[in-house]
């Protein structure tokens, strides 16, 4: 291979690597046994863009195991079609109804299993963490979260289900947590006390 051809080859490889770095897709999931929300966000040079935001309707199936199979199949389909680099899912909100929580936990579990099967790293976010990341208020309602998403991502049409917007919020939350200095610094830590203990030189007294 001549020097000119070698140089062209190296430039092409460099451009391919740059394209991979500049373009990344996040799959966000809002698990549910009646409706599962899902959203895909593409990061172009660090800027989030909505690729897809929709729901999988499950209520028509009475058999919970059929619903679980549908969830697993849908997540596998999304991963195969869009090849996301990251998978983020909302953690179940613990309520008083034990049976509902059990079903929701199963729904979350099969979605996570599909992501792990595809080799994706799974990250969970509590509902409060997602709300705080998007609006700055961990107690914000779904409509407040949606309005903020509209402003951030320049979305005009309101979807029929908040499950879809919740999934979008999870994906955007993951982007914020993994791209910010604070998000990277606190990843895997139990809280501020843990952060201070492991990073004493980064705290001004």
């Amino acid at each position: 291979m001549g020097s000119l051809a070698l140089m062209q080859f190296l430039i092409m490889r460099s451009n391919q690597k740059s394209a991979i770095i500049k373009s990344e897709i996040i799959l966000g999931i809002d698990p549910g046994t009646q409706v599962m929300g899902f959203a895909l966000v593409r990061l172009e040079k660090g800027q989030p863009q909505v690729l897809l935001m929709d729901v999988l309707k499950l209520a028509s199936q009475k058999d919970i195991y059929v619903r679980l199979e549908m969830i697993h199949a849908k997540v596998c389909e999304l991963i195969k079609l869009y090849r996301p680099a990251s998978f983020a899912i909302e953690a179940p909100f613990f309520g008083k109804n034990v049976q509902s929580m059990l079903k929701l936990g199963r729904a979350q579990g099969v979605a996570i299993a599909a992501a792990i099967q595809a080799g994706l790293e799974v990250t969970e976010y509590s509902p409060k963490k997602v709300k705080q990341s998007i609006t700055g208020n961990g107690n914000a309602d779904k409509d407040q979260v949606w309005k903020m998403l509209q402003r951030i991502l320049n979305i005009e049409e309101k979807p029929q289900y908040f499950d879809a917007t919740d999934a979008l919020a999870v994906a955007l939350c993951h982007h914020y947590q993994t791209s910010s200095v604070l998000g990277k610094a606190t990843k895997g830590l139990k809280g501020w006390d843990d952060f201070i203990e492991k990073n004493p030189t980064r705290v001004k007294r």
Side-chain angles (χ1 to χ4, degrees):
M1 182 181 290
S3 58
L4 180 59
L6 177 60
M7 184 179 296
Q8 290 175 335
F9 174 76
L10 292 174
I11 291 173
M12 181 184 71
R13 292 288 293 175
S14 177
N15 289 338
Q16 289 176 342
K17 289 181 179 180
S18 297
I20 293 173
I21 293 172
K22 292 176 182 177
S23 180
E24 180 181 332
I25 295 175
I26 301 171
L27 172 57
I29 296 290
D30 177 39
T33 56
Q34 300 291 321
V35 178
M36 181 191 79
F38 57 88
L40 287 132
V41 172
R42 186 203 301 274
L43 304 177
E44 291 288 350
K45 299 181 181 180
Q47 297 301 314
Q49 300 174 356
V50 181
L51 275 183
L52 179 67
M53 178 175 59
D54 205 344
V55 297
L56 173 65
K57 298 179 183 178
L58 303 157
S60 61
Q61 297 292 335
K62 294 183 180 180
D63 191 332
I64 183 62
Y65 298 109
V66 173
R67 298 184 193 184
L68 295 178
E69 193 280 329
M70 290 172 65
I71 292 171
H72 186 273
K74 186 62 180 181
V75 174
C76 286
E77 177 189 3
L78 291 170
I79 292 172
K80 183 178 180 180
L81 287 175
Y82 294 93
R83 300 184 181 278
S86 306
F87 178 91
I89 190 167
E90 187 171 274
F93 176 79
F94 293 97
K96 295 181 179 180
N97 191 320
V98 178
Q99 289 299 319
S100 294
M101 289 307 305
L102 178 61
K103 291 178 180 179
L104 184 58
R106 288 174 175 175
Q108 186 200 37
V110 294
I112 289 175
I116 293 175
Q117 186 179 18
L120 295 177
E121 181 179 344
V122 175
T123 307
E124 289 184 67
Y125 295 101
S126 69
K128 189 168 187 176
K129 181 68 175 180
V130 174
K131 293 175 183 178
Q132 185 177 31
S133 180
I134 302 301
T135 69
N137 177 11
N139 296 314
D141 60 31
K142 291 180 180 294
D143 191 56
Q144 289 174 317
V145 172
W146 165 239
K147 287 179 180 178
M148 185 58 71
L149 288 172
Q150 281 185 303
R151 291 178 59 186
I152 296 171
L153 299 170
N154 297 316
I155 307 172
E156 295 182 2
E157 295 184 7
K158 182 175 181 179
Q160 187 177 358
Y161 296 90
F162 274 126
D163 306 80
T165 60
D166 286 348
L168 181 60
V170 172
L172 191 60
C173 170
H174 182 70
H175 164 55
Y176 287 153
Q177 293 302 308
T178 54
S179 62
S180 68
V181 175
L182 180 60
K184 291 178 181 177
T186 58
K187 186 176 182 180
L189 300 179
K190 298 177 182 178
W192 277 112
D193 291 338
D194 193 19
F195 173 77
I196 294 171
E197 182 180 349
K198 294 179 180 179
N199 299 273
T201 59
R202 301 179 69 176
V203 180
K204 295 182 179 180
R205 301 182 184 277

